Amino acid sequence: MESARELPHDLEAERALLGAMLIDKGACDEVINLATPEDFYYDHHKLIYEGMKYLHDGGAPVDVTTVTSYLMDKGVLDKVGGVEYLLQLSESVPTTAHTQYYLNILNNRSLLRRLIKECTDIISSAYDGDVGDMNDYINGVEKDFLDVTRDRNAGEFKDIHDVIDEVTQRLYKLQQSGGVVSGVKTGFRELDKLTSGFQPGDLVIIAARPSVGKTAFALNIGFNSSHNSEEAVAIFSLEMPATQLVNRLICCAGRVNNDSLKNGSILKENASKYYAAAERVGQCNLYIDDTAGIKIGEIAAKCRRLNQEKGLKMVIIDYLQLIQGPTNSRESRQQEVSDISRQLKAMARELECPVIALSQLSRAVEQRKGKPMLSDLRESGAIEQDADIVAFLHREDYQNKEKEQEVNGITEIIVAKHRNGATADIKLVFEREYSCFSNYTTEEMPEGAGIRDVRPQ
């Protein structure tokens, strides 16, 4: 019968660290800041380290005498090998110069043991079969597994020189892009100029009342950023099936009238136009999930997997208020939305890509008959706090149909919050029949020419 395998550990590294702590205060400070008792594999080493940490935290010196006294008071001196073993530790370390080297070994072995434990727990629970909701279970497994590895660098300081290097590299990228766009391009000239593109880690909230065009606007951004892109753009559509989203994308890409797709007449009237538009949409690196009532944990889990497999450029969610919280949540819906908002921001930082979440506005904006404000965000003020950018879509003809001809599709993108830059009102042109937003231009156009498509090709 095969004997049980030992968990990863390193006796020499543990002895070297404990010995260094007994003879050098600097080494003691370094180890205590970066190690825990659980990082030590041997029980007698854990006891010794706990005693050292207790003395250190209390401001007492850490040496053979003080540690011996502490272990005697606890009644465990014999259990660790007596004072002879402590003396052996202190006398076996010729230099403390290699403390960091042994610390790395200690931390790595400890991490491997934690990973093994996590995997063992996963296997055990999977065999039991009683895991509750499968999607919640899988998301919890992924999160716990990632937390193990993420804890390695949690709380570490960033050296100022490393940060300066990051800033310098960003400046190089800005210079190469003409100083305009360093993040993900939306395809809209003035918006990209204002934001320098949506930045990795940004949570972007796009809000409007129903039927103003927020879904179409988000799809336009998704199309522009994913066309011929090596990295994927993920779209979560909680309200509309994937087929309808692709219909809108085809209309926008080929300036195909919505009605001709709905009734199928496009194939009779101009089939080549449809196939050309469909081909262009097919060149987009887009992934669509149209699961209704998807939970925030499922969104995060699917994005992690897509990021590992394809690389993730951007995430678009339509819309925030339809996302479900945990199955067992007993919180109010307002608190639940607040939690979802915070998790979306955390997801953006973890995946290092912008996350765009569409949001509804309260009816207050209609009652006021004015432009949207941050206080109009529905259900939670936490959305405003967590977001890096909050942009509202506003059309003058939304409440006043008499202005429809006068406005001629002009839509304002009101950037009401911009954590890292200025705010502004940006004009775009919305052609509803094509589900298409275009850059606004003041150039004179021939009568009957319609709105010229000035999107980047």
Side-chain angles (χ1 to χ4, degrees):
M1 185 176 177
E2 185 180 350
S3 60
R5 298 172 65 183
E6 280 193 324
L7 293 171
H9 64 279
D10 191 301
L11 175 62
E12 181 186 356
E14 293 189 15
R15 287 170 56 91
L17 288 173
L18 294 175
M21 293 174 72
L22 287 170
I23 64 174
D24 185 276
K25 183 179 183 303
C28 188
D29 292 340
E30 186 175 6
V31 176
I32 283 176
N33 286 332
L34 295 174
T36 67
E38 290 72 28
D39 289 332
F40 290 85
Y41 176 74
Y42 294 96
D43 288 338
H44 61 296
H45 287 169
K46 287 180 183 177
L47 291 172
I48 294 171
Y49 182 76
E50 285 173 350
M52 292 176 167
K53 190 173 187 313
Y54 177 84
L55 294 167
H56 180 274
D57 292 346
V62 176
D63 54 36
V64 173
T65 302
T66 57
V67 174
T68 299
S69 177
Y70 171 87
L71 295 172
M72 285 182 63
D73 291 343
K74 292 294 182 180
V76 293
L77 182 61
D78 291 339
K79 191 173 182 179
V80 304
V83 66
E84 295 83 4
Y85 187 68
L86 296 178
L87 287 168
Q88 184 182 347
L89 288 175
S90 63
E91 293 170 357
S92 64
V93 181
T95 176
T96 62
H98 305 307
T99 299
Q100 186 60 54
Y101 170 77
Y102 288 117
L103 254 176
N104 289 336
I105 294 175
L106 182 81
N107 289 332
N108 287 339
R109 298 295 189 276
S110 174
L111 176 61
L112 288 172
R113 294 197 301 273
R114 290 178 63 192
L115 288 171
I116 291 170
K117 181 183 182 302
E118 196 66 46
C119 292
T120 304
D121 291 344
I122 292 169
I123 293 169
S124 177
S125 61
Y127 268 116
D128 291 341
D130 185 19
V131 297
D133 182 89
M134 182 56 70
N135 288 323
D136 285 348
Y137 171 71
I138 291 173
N139 178 63
V141 165
E142 290 182 339
K143 184 177 184 300
D144 291 343
F145 200 81
L146 287 171
D147 284 345
V148 171
T149 57
R150 195 179 299 120
D151 284 349
R152 286 185 302 171
N153 300 317
E156 288 187 6
F157 285 112
K158 287 188 174 182
D159 184 275
I160 186 63
H161 301 95
D162 295 335
V163 179
I164 290 173
D165 287 342
E166 288 183 26
V167 172
T168 304
Q169 290 301 316
R170 182 175 180 274
L171 289 176
Y172 278 129
K173 290 181 180 178
L174 280 170
Q175 185 184 43
Q176 291 170 359
S177 66
V180 178
V181 180
S182 59
V184 178
K185 293 182 180 180
T186 67
F188 299 109
R189 184 177 54 247
E190 294 302 320
L191 183 59
D192 286 337
K193 183 177 178 181
L194 179 72
T195 63
S196 293
F198 292 155
Q199 303 296 317
D202 274 358
L203 174 59
V204 181
I205 301 295
I206 297 174
R209 288 296 294 159
S211 301
V212 174
K214 60 180 179 293
T215 300
F217 181 57
L219 283 177
N220 277 224
I221 292 175
F223 174 83
N224 292 338
S225 59
S226 68
H227 191 255
N228 291 328
S229 170
E230 293 183 2
E231 295 177 305
V233 172
I235 299 179
F236 291 87
S237 178
L238 285 75
E239 187 176 38
M240 191 180 298
T243 51
Q244 289 188 26
L245 290 184
V246 173
N247 276 353
R248 291 192 178 198
L249 287 168
I250 290 172
C251 290
C252 177
R255 303 182 67 75
V256 176
N257 191 287
N258 282 310
D259 292 336
S260 67
L261 273 187
K262 289 178 183 177
N263 59 32
S265 62
I266 183 63
L267 294 180
K268 182 179 179 180
E269 297 167 358
N270 197 341
S272 61
K273 186 175 186 179
Y274 165 78
Y275 286 117
E279 182 181 358
R280 192 173 182 209
V281 172
Q283 294 168 349
C284 293
N285 197 351
L286 273 175
Y287 289 80
I288 300 173
D289 185 302
D290 59 0
T291 305
I294 193 170
K295 298 181 180 67
I296 179 61
E298 294 177 69
I299 292 176
K302 289 180 177 181
C303 286
R304 288 189 196 108
R305 287 196 291 273
L306 185 59
N307 189 40
Q308 290 169 358
E309 294 170 5
K310 305 291 183 181
L312 199 52
K313 190 174 188 177
M314 180 187 290
V315 178
I316 298 172
I317 302 169
D318 184 15
Y319 58 90
L320 191 152
Q321 280 80 11
L322 291 180
I323 301 174
Q324 296 297 314
T327 304
N328 59 353
S329 175
R330 297 182 179 178
E331 299 174 335
S332 68
R333 182 54 184 165
Q334 182 171 343
Q335 183 59 47
E336 201 173 71
V337 170
S338 298
D339 292 341
I340 290 168
S341 171
R342 279 191 289 272
Q343 290 182 64
L344 288 176
K345 174 57 182 175
M347 186 177 79
R349 292 195 62 181
E350 175 190 330
L351 298 174
E352 296 183 336
C353 74
V355 172
I356 300 176
L358 307 190
S359 178
Q360 284 190 341
L361 293 175
S362 68
R363 292 185 180 275
V365 67
E366 294 178 3
Q367 297 166 355
R368 192 175 61 249
K369 294 185 178 180
K371 293 185 177 182
M373 301 185 300
L374 290 170
S375 58
D376 295 323
L377 283 170
R378 186 174 170 184
E379 289 190 300
S380 177
I383 298 174
E384 173 192 343
Q385 296 173 11
D386 297 327
D388 298 281
I389 296 174
V390 178
F392 301 118
L393 269 66
H394 176 69
R395 287 206 326 268
E396 286 294 334
D397 63 346
Y398 175 68
Q399 297 170 2
N400 188 350
K401 296 301 178 183
E402 295 178 359
K403 289 190 175 183
E404 190 165 352
Q405 293 299 322
E406 176 187 335
V407 172
N408 197 26
I410 293 176
T411 301
E412 283 187 290
I413 310 300
I414 303 169
V415 181
K417 178 185 178 182
H418 185 196
R419 195 187 302 275
N420 298 310
T423 59
D425 294 357
I426 296 167
K427 287 183 178 180
L428 297 177
V429 177
F430 181 40
E431 301 173 87
R432 182 181 294 277
E433 66 272 28
Y434 304 132
S435 298
C436 181
F437 279 85
S438 307
N439 288 310
Y440 175 74
T441 178
T442 56
E443 294 179 12
E444 292 286 339
M445 298 175 62
E447 186 176 351
I451 300 172
R452 182 164 59 88
D453 181 15
V454 290
R455 289 172 298 147
Q457 299 301 313

